[in-house]
Structure formats: structure tokens, C-alpha cells
Amino acid sequence: MAAKDTYIAVETPPLASGSPAPENSQQKPKPASRKSPATSGRKLGRKALLAINFGSVAAGLGAWTALSAAGVVGLPGPVEVLIRAGEVFADGTLAEDTGASLARVLSGFLLGSLLAVPVGFLMGWYQVGRAIIEPWVQFFRTIPPLALLPLVMVTMGIGETPKIFVIFLAAFLSCVISTYQGVVSVDKTLINAARVLGADSMIIFRRVVVPASSPFILVGMRIGLGAGWATVVAAELIAAPNGLGMRMQQAQQFYDMPTILVNVIVIGILGLLMDRLLLMIEAHLTRWQERR
Amino acid sequence: MTTTTSKAMIRFEDLRQEFTLTGNTFTALDGVSLDIADGEFVTVVGPSGCGKSTMLNAAAGLLDPTSGRVMVDDREVDGPSTRTGVIFQQYALFPWLTVRKNVEFGLELKKVPAKERRVIVDHYLELVGLTRFAEALPKELSGGMKQRCAIARAYAVNPEILLMDEPFGALDALTRVHMQEQLLKTWTQERRTVMFVTHDVDESVFLASRVIVMAARPGRIFKEIKIDLPYPRTEEMRLSDEFARLRTQVWEAVYHQPGVAEAHQ
Ligand SMILES: Nc1ncnc2c1ncn2[C@@H]1O[C@H](COP(=O)(O)OP(=O)(O)OP(=O)(O)O)[C@@H](O)[C@H]1O
Ligand SMILES: [Mg+2]
């Protein structure tokens, strides 16, 4: 699922120690996680690929049906799950849980990204800022946000605050590093070009550094959203009055497999949708970039 | 030519520029002294890595000289100025702005009113032949077109001094000749001071009243060759004996300077 590969992506951009880019680097280094080109030789048409996608999903559903029909581990079939989905949809619990989880993710994510962008700029733009912030970011980056949950719950109680806080942290950390990377890799000749045209630091920042690092920021936000989504579900497993994660936890106590599966699927679909949405925004905002 | 000994517009005074890369100090320029008169057209040639761009960047106020200094109009250069237009070797177009917006950038910073900006931008786009590509993004342009866009951007703010780093390097022969003529035409009309870096010996002779030949390791001025051909320069001049003689002279200074032969074999 989305969250998994995003964690790998967090690892990839090493925190370079502001070394100057090679002089003739007209092309910008592109942020890591972009659609990788088709690796195998022959190119298939869009339609053919889409057909294969559908075939694959259909085959998966078929296998699932077969498994449940064979009575493996008491797995309920797709139809049963669909019926259960209809029920929780009708009685409003699905909407409530989805709303609660989404609200947590979005508030944590927005707060995290909102803070990450200025902090990332501070790190990239001022050496002193970097020297102050970098050790903290590097340290907290190595701790999975969820591992902080017990501590956060002890200090902040079991209300909404600790959950939003860990999501905030997850989103903040991935976005701040990306933003910082973006700022330090801004092509020096672009800054010089602006300077000789009369730009002062404020204008250089606004009109060169911000747009030049926007692709990095957007990738960071995407990773942050994935991390936030992964974190919320787990946070709700521990203690929450509602939410998709909490509902699964509750259902587990009653061996209510259909409910668990409904929630798992909703989590997957929502994660995918949010990622696609940000990807579209990103593609739109950075269409000036030269793609390889 | 009529080099009426007018005052120096750009003056390099014993300029030394070192770069420190991973602990090693590298001398890019050593003891460079040069006067470029007000309204003069000087070209700079020399082997790759001899410090041509470094010299130009120093004049643009983008470097912090290790010792010595650069004076522009009798004032020490301590930062970029809008009096000095620069065309960078790597074009340095803003990739997120359209061609028009790139050319307009400096005018916006100068707070030129929108209507006036439009007229100026249209004029320079026309001059470099990019009118049809005004709304294109840099990624949609060829190398030569990017270079032309960078030229238009520098011209648009109407600087008194033009520092041009191989501005025609990526152009095909035909466009190149056209751009050379356009440049000389505007130069004869307006007499801006031009410092023009090139790899092309023909170009250096055709454009300049003086060719500065540099040597590498450390970067320094090796020779100055006066080009006593009258302006306006014409196509016939390119075929003249005098032109051939000067070209040979520059060629020999560039390619038969001590050290070059070994370095390239
Ligand atoms: N910012 C920098 N940091 C470190 N070294 C530099 C820097 N700028 C230039 N140099 C070095 O200084 C030397 C001169 O570079 P410069 O770009 O001025 O050469 P050039 O004559 O313009 O070459 P070319 O014809 O290839 O453009 C080179 O060896 C280069 O590696
Ligand atoms: Mg150069």
C-alpha cells in the first residue's frame, strides 16, 4: 500500500551538506519518488495496461472468493463484506469513522506541512538555522512517530491532541527534509541570474528559491501524507472513541471479520485517493520541470 | 580604429581569484589586469578552464576576489548592479516562467509599467526571433532558443555594460552570424561597453576592437591583439586578407601557447 513505499522514499534523499551543484547543471536534480519509466522492453498501449490492471484486480477478487468458499481461516467473501459495508454505511458509523480518521490525518498533515515549509527554508537558507535545527530533525527522523505515542499519551492525555500530534510529527519530519533538500539544491546560476537583474534577497527567495524548491516540497508533502495516514490508523488502535482503526480494534474483540475487512479496504482506498490527488496537484504545479 | 583614449569603464586591477574545493586551493585567475574603455567591444578567448567565466563573473559582482579588485566606472564592484547585464554560459533561464515572463523579469523588478513592459518584451522577442514562442516554457526550447531567450532577457533591461559568456555558443552557423550582426548593429548605435567571451576565433576577431587571449593554469592574460578593422564590420571583411591575418594571429596565440599542446594530447 501507499504508506510502505513512502517510508523507503524517506530514506533516499541523503541530507547533503550544502555542497555546490556542478557548474553546468542546467537540469535540476529531480526529487526521488516519481513514476519510474517502464523497465521492460516493449511498450504497451495505455488501454492494454488498463485492461491488465482490471484483470489483475478481478483475479484477486476471484482468488479471495475461492479462499473464503474453501473456508480458509474463516475468511468472509467479497459479497459478505459488501453487505457489511452497506450496513455500516446505512447506520452512519462508516461516515463517522471515516470523518474522524480523515479529520485527524488532515489536521496533523496540514499543521505539519505548514510548519515544515518555513522551517525547511530556514534550514536551507541560513547556516545558523541549519546548525540549530538539523540535529533535532535527524534525531527524530530515526524514531517511528508511533514509538512516541506512549510518551505523548502520558503527557497529553488520550484525547485528540496526542493523535494529531504524532501525525503532525510524521508529516512534519518528511516534509521538512524535503523542503530543506529543495532549498540547498537550487541552481546557483539561477540565483545569480536574478541578482544581476536587480533582485534582492527577499525577491530571490520569493521568486527563485520558492518556485525552484516547490517540486521537492510537494514530494515531501506526499510522503508526509502517506506517513500520516499510516500513523493515524495505528494511533487509533491504541485508544480512540471512533475512527477506522478503532472500529477494527473493536471488531477484533468480537471476531467480526467482515467489519475488519470493510475498514481495511476503506483505509486502502482513501490512502490511494489522497495520494493520487496530491500527485495530480504536484504534476500540475511542476509541469515546467524537465522530465527524464 | 578610433579608440579615442576614453576612460576605463571596466578595470581589472591585479585580480586574483582562488577557489577552495574539498580543502584544495585552486587558482582560477592570477594577476589579471585589464582596462576596457567606455564603449569598447572586447572579446576574450582562451582554452577551456582558463578562467574566462570567472573573469566575467568577477566583473558582474558575483565573486569575492581573493585579492585585487574590479572597478566599474571608477567604483569598486562589490555586488551585482542593474547597470551590468549578464548572459550566462548556462543560459540560467527560470524554468517555471514562460519565455515572455523570463524576458520580463528584470523589467518587473525595475517597476516598469505593464504596458511598457509588453512593448519592450515584444521588441526583444522579435529581435531574437522568439515571438512565436513567447508563451513556451524553457523546457520546450532548443539549446539555441534558450540562449536567444537569455540574450533577450539581458538586453531588455537596457544595461550600459554587457557581459556575455559564450552567448552564441549553442547557435547554428546561420543564426550565429545573424546574431553577431544584430549585436554589432545595436552596439554601433548605442556604444555600450561589451565584454564578450567566446571559443570561436573567427567570432572574436569579427566582433572586437581588441581580443584578449588567456592562458590556463593559472588563468591569466596571455596576449592582447588589437583588431584594426573599421566598424561597421561587413561580410566582405570576413574574407579579407587582413581578417585572415588577424585570425591566424589569434589562433596561434590560443592554440600555440605554452602548455596547450600537451594538455590536449
Ligand atoms: N565556483 C567555483 N568553485 C570552484 N572552482 C571553480 C568555480 N568556478 C570556476 N572554478 C574553476 O576555475 C577554473 C576556471 O573556470 P571558468 O569557468 O572561469 O573557465 P572558462 O575559461 O570559462 O572555461 P570554459 O571555456 O570551459 O567555459 C576551472 O578550473 C574551474 O574548475
Ligand atoms: Mg566559461
Side-chain angles (χ1 to χ4, degrees):
Chain A
M1 208 196 68
K4 201 176 169 196
D5 60 39
T6 55
Y7 273 125
I8 296 164
V10 174
E11 304 296 329
T12 31
L15 223 66
S17 50
S19 55
E23 234 215 303
N24 55 355
S25 62
Q26 175 71 12
Q27 269 138 318
K28 323 224 65 90
K30 280 155 205 88
S33 70
R34 195 166 294 292
K35 243 189 290 175
S36 55
T39 35
S40 62
R42 206 158 50 90
K43 265 223 163 140
L44 285 170
R46 232 180 110 78
K47 271 189 186 155
L49 288 173
L50 212 62
I52 296 176
N53 283 160
F54 270 110
S56 166
V57 172
L61 286 174
W64 177 12
T65 313
L67 276 178
S68 70
V72 181
V73 296
L75 198 68
V79 180
E80 211 178 325
V81 171
L82 202 65
I83 291 168
R84 184 78 191 113
E87 286 166 14
V88 290
F89 181 74
D91 71 11
T93 42
L94 184 63
E96 186 198 331
D97 291 337
T98 308
S101 295
L102 270 180
R104 287 174 194 133
V105 172
L106 291 182
S107 40
F109 164 71
L110 287 178
L111 287 174
S113 313
L114 230 57
L115 186 69
V117 172
V119 172
F121 277 126
L122 223 59
M123 279 174 76
W125 201 236
Y126 297 105
Q127 283 194 324
V128 178
R130 183 181 319 168
I132 295 172
I133 303 164
E134 188 167 0
W136 296 99
V137 170
Q138 290 295 7
F139 177 70
F140 278 103
R141 203 163 84 96
T142 59
I143 307 173
L146 269 183
L148 291 173
L149 200 59
L151 177 67
V152 170
M153 275 167 60
V154 169
T155 52
M156 295 184 180
I158 54 163
E160 290 298 292
T161 324
K163 290 178 206 66
I164 293 177
F165 182 79
V166 286
I167 296 156
F168 157 83
L169 207 62
F172 173 77
L173 288 172
S174 47
C175 194
V176 83
I177 290 180
S178 230
T179 307
Y180 162 75
Q181 275 285 299
V183 176
V184 294
S185 54
V186 175
D187 189 347
K188 198 83 181 34
T189 55
L190 290 184
I191 293 178
N192 283 342
R195 283 175 75 198
V196 299
L197 289 168
D200 57 28
S201 320
M202 219 24 243
I203 291 173
I204 289 172
F205 186 77
R206 244 189 37 234
R207 301 208 46 187
V208 180
V209 177
V210 172
S213 43
S214 63
F216 288 81
I217 298 174
L218 287 161
V219 166
M221 286 174 74
R222 242 180 85 214
I223 296 169
L225 187 61
W229 189 237
T231 307
V232 75
V233 174
E236 287 170 351
L237 289 175
I238 298 175
N242 51 17
L244 298 167
M246 169 271 171
R247 200 64 63 196
M248 288 196 293
Q249 160 76 13
Q250 198 184 44
Q252 179 207 331
Q253 286 163 8
F254 300 102
Y255 294 98
D256 182 359
M257 280 262 245
T259 305
I260 296 178
L261 282 172
V262 168
N263 285 285
V264 166
I265 292 168
V266 169
I267 289 165
I269 292 175
L270 283 178
L272 198 65
L273 283 181
M274 288 194 295
D275 190 61
R276 289 292 115 158
L277 192 70
L278 262 189
L279 195 65
M280 269 163 60
I281 295 173
E282 185 193 327
H284 177 76
L285 288 178
T286 63
R287 61 183 183 282
W288 49 267
Q289 266 200 314
E290 292 200 44
R291 317 262 155 164
R292 264 171 294 197
Chain B
M1 222 231 25
T2 52
T3 321
T4 44
T5 42
S6 49
K7 70 165 178 106
M9 188 59 147
I10 309 173
R11 160 172 284 170
F12 294 86
E13 289 181 2
D14 201 19
L15 185 72
R16 180 184 180 84
Q17 184 73 53
E18 293 174 353
F19 292 111
T20 307
L21 271 184
T22 57
N24 297 322
T25 304
F26 178 85
T27 308
L29 289 177
D30 187 19
V32 169
S33 294
L34 175 71
D35 277 11
I36 300 177
D38 188 8
E40 198 184 4
F41 199 130
V42 164
T43 51
V44 181
V45 286
S48 182
C50 68
K52 303 182 293 293
S53 298
T54 306
M55 205 172 149
L56 197 112
N57 286 338
L62 295 169
L63 294 175
D64 192 11
T66 311
S67 70
R69 57 182 184 171
V70 185
M71 310 284 284
V72 165
D73 206 8
D74 291 330
R75 298 224 340 246
E76 183 170 350
V77 173
D78 58 358
S81 149
T82 46
R83 292 180 62 189
T84 311
V86 185
I87 296 167
F88 293 91
Q89 192 170 357
Q90 313 88 338
Y91 326 135
L93 297 177
F94 304 117
W96 50 88
L97 298 180
T98 60
V99 167
R100 169 178 298 284
K101 285 284 178 193
N102 263 287
V103 179
E104 215 176 337
F105 191 89
L107 297 169
E108 276 175 355
L109 297 188
K110 272 172 99 180
K111 308 241 181 322
V112 177
K115 252 199 207 127
E116 217 171 303
R117 285 205 305 260
R118 204 170 170 89
V119 176
I120 298 172
V121 173
D122 284 342
H123 170 74
Y124 285 104
L125 287 180
E126 171 92 55
L127 181 82
V128 299
L130 283 180
T131 307
R132 274 182 48 227
F133 293 89
E135 304 312 322
L137 287 167
K139 71 167 180 182
E140 296 159 314
L141 305 181
S142 71
M145 288 157 85
K146 282 183 189 152
Q147 210 160 36
R148 273 140 61 196
C149 180
I151 292 167
R153 184 175 67 178
Y155 283 8
V157 288
N158 197 18
E160 292 162 61
I161 299 169
L162 271 174
L163 304 174
M164 310 174 83
D165 201 347
E166 305 196 22
F168 304 153
L171 304 182
D172 61 284
L174 209 65
T175 320
R176 192 177 180 119
V177 167
H178 173 72
M179 295 300 293
Q180 287 171 357
E181 281 167 0
Q182 285 296 328
L183 175 62
L184 276 188
K185 203 172 123 201
T186 45
W187 178 77
T188 29
Q189 284 162 6
E190 299 164 353
R191 288 286 163 155
R192 292 177 228 243
T193 310
V194 181
M195 181 176 164
F196 187 109
V197 171
T198 177
H199 262 128
D200 187 313
V201 170
D202 267 48
E203 183 169 81
S204 75
V205 174
F206 184 69
L207 294 174
S209 57
R210 193 153 48 117
V211 178
I212 310 296
V213 181
M214 296 187 64
R217 263 163 300 234
R220 61 197 185 277
I221 294 177
F222 178 65
K223 210 168 202 171
E224 290 184 24
I225 296 164
K226 272 194 73 60
I227 308 297
D228 276 323
L229 295 167
Y231 289 98
R233 304 264 163 100
T234 58
E235 279 312 295
E236 295 82 72
M237 275 185 209
R238 284 190 201 263
L239 308 171
S240 69
D241 292 343
E242 177 65 0
F243 191 89
R245 191 185 63 75
L246 288 163
R247 179 176 43 203
T248 312
Q249 211 182 330
V250 174
W251 184 274
E252 285 187 341
V254 175
Y255 294 100
H256 297 289
Q257 53 181 244
V260 170
E262 303 96 88
H264 282 270
Q265 249 131 55

